[in-house]
Amino acid sequence: MTNFFRLFLFIGIVSLISSCEDDDDNMVLPTQFTVTIENVSTPQTVATDRAMGTVPLSPPTWAVFAAGGDPMFEVGQKANLGTARIAEDGFPDEMLAILGADSNVKSFAAQTSPGGPDNGPAVFAGESVTFTVSAVPGDKFQFETMFVQSNDWFYAFSGGGVELFNGTTPLSGDLTSRVNVYDAGTEQDTAPGTGPDQKPVQDAMATNVGPDEDENIARAADRHNFTIPATNSVIKVTIAPGI
Ligand SMILES: [Ca+2]
Ligand SMILES: [Ca+2]
C-alpha cells in the first residue's frame, strides 16, 4: 500500500469513528423501519370475473424524502409520467428516474413481486411485500401501487405522504386509514373490473393502452360514482420501527 492510499484509509477510519459519536455532536443515527404492504382483497371484492374479482396490486414503488413536497404526485395537479405509468400499467421505471433526479429524495426503490400463488408480476390477493427504509426525524415516506382492476388508479398515502417521526418518536402501526385510491387523470375510466382497456385484459407488457384523458389527480371517489371497494378491503399498510 502506498502512503497515498494509507492517508485515505486513515481519513476514512477517522470519518467513520466521528460519524458514530452521536453523544458529542448530537448527530442522530437513522432509524430502520419495516414497511409491509399486503393485498387483503378476496374473490368478489370487485364484482367481475377478472382475477376472480380480487384486486391485484403492482409491486410498490416508494421514496423517503426530506419534509416538504411529495416527490411522486400532488392531488389537484397533473400526474408526472412516473405516476401515469404506475397507475396505468404498474411499471416503475419512469418513477425511479424521477426520484433519482430529485435532490429531496433520500432513498427510493421499486419492490419486486413476491412470487406467491399467482407466480406472476403482481402483488396478488393474499400476498405481501415487506421492505426496510432508513430515516431520521423530519423525513417523510410515500409509495404508489396500481389498483390493477382500473384504467389509471393507484393507492398512496393522502396528505403528501406520512411523517416518519412525531418529534423524535418513530411512526408505528397500521397506517391503512391514511391510504386512498387516486385517479391519475391520464386514461379514461370504466368501473373497476370492466371495459376493454384495464390491465387484466391488456397485453401484460403493453403500456398506455386505452383512450387518454387530461385531468388532474383526484381521489377516485371524488371523480366517479362507480362502486369502489373500501381501501381496507384491498390493501393494508403497516410500519414498525426497529433500531
Ligand atoms: Ca382516469
Ligand atoms: Ca389501460
Side-chain angles (χ1 to χ4, degrees):
M1 196 188 308
T2 67
N3 286 336
F4 181 76
F5 283 112
R6 280 200 186 93
L7 175 65
F8 274 91
L9 184 62
F10 175 74
I11 291 170
I13 290 169
V14 169
S15 337
L16 189 64
I17 290 169
S18 48
S19 71
C20 294
E21 289 174 349
D22 60 324
D23 288 340
D24 292 336
D25 56 7
N26 290 323
M27 182 171 174
V28 179
L29 294 174
T31 296
Q32 309 298 317
F33 294 86
T34 299
V35 181
T36 298
I37 298 179
E38 180 178 2
N39 186 331
V40 296
S41 70
T42 56
Q44 296 306 302
T45 293
V46 171
T48 181
D49 291 338
R50 297 174 185 171
M52 300 177 295
T54 63
V55 182
L57 302 170
S58 67
T61 301
W62 58 264
V64 172
F65 56 103
D70 187 332
M72 303 182 91
F73 76 101
E74 190 174 342
V75 174
Q77 301 291 319
K78 292 289 191 293
N80 59 30
L81 183 60
T83 291
R85 190 65 74 239
I86 287 172
E88 290 190 28
D89 304 300
F91 296 132
D93 291 357
E94 287 81 358
M95 179 57 80
L96 293 175
I98 288 168
L99 297 174
D102 188 328
S103 60
N104 260 344
V105 173
K106 298 174 131 185
S107 57
F108 63 97
Q111 299 307 125
T112 54
S113 165
D118 74 324
N119 199 28
V123 182
F124 206 71
E127 297 178 352
S128 66
V129 171
T130 298
F131 52 96
T132 302
V133 304
S134 177
V136 295
D139 287 347
K140 298 177 81 171
F141 174 83
Q142 181 60 291
F143 76 99
E144 291 182 352
T145 177
M146 182 185 183
F147 179 108
V148 167
Q149 298 265 25
S150 78
N151 300 86
D152 62 337
W153 292 6
F154 64 101
Y155 286 104
F157 284 120
S158 59
V162 293
E163 299 270 4
L164 285 168
F165 295 82
N166 179 2
T168 57
T169 304
L171 183 64
S172 180
D174 185 339
L175 306 179
T176 309
S177 66
R178 298 165 71 172
V179 176
N180 265 309
V181 62
Y182 295 96
D183 180 346
T186 58
E187 182 175 316
Q188 292 178 24
D189 306 276
T190 48
T194 71
D197 299 312
Q198 296 191 353
K199 188 70 177 179
V201 291
Q202 292 177 197
D203 177 334
M205 296 308 293
T207 59
N208 197 23
V209 178
D212 287 343
E213 68 181 358
D214 187 22
E215 299 287 342
N216 293 331
I217 297 172
R219 269 174 26 111
D222 290 343
R223 278 199 67 203
H224 304 289
N225 291 319
F226 303 142
T227 299
I228 300 171
T231 296
N232 65 5
S233 71
V234 176
I235 189 171
K236 181 177 182 181
V237 180
T238 56
I239 193 162
I243 52 171

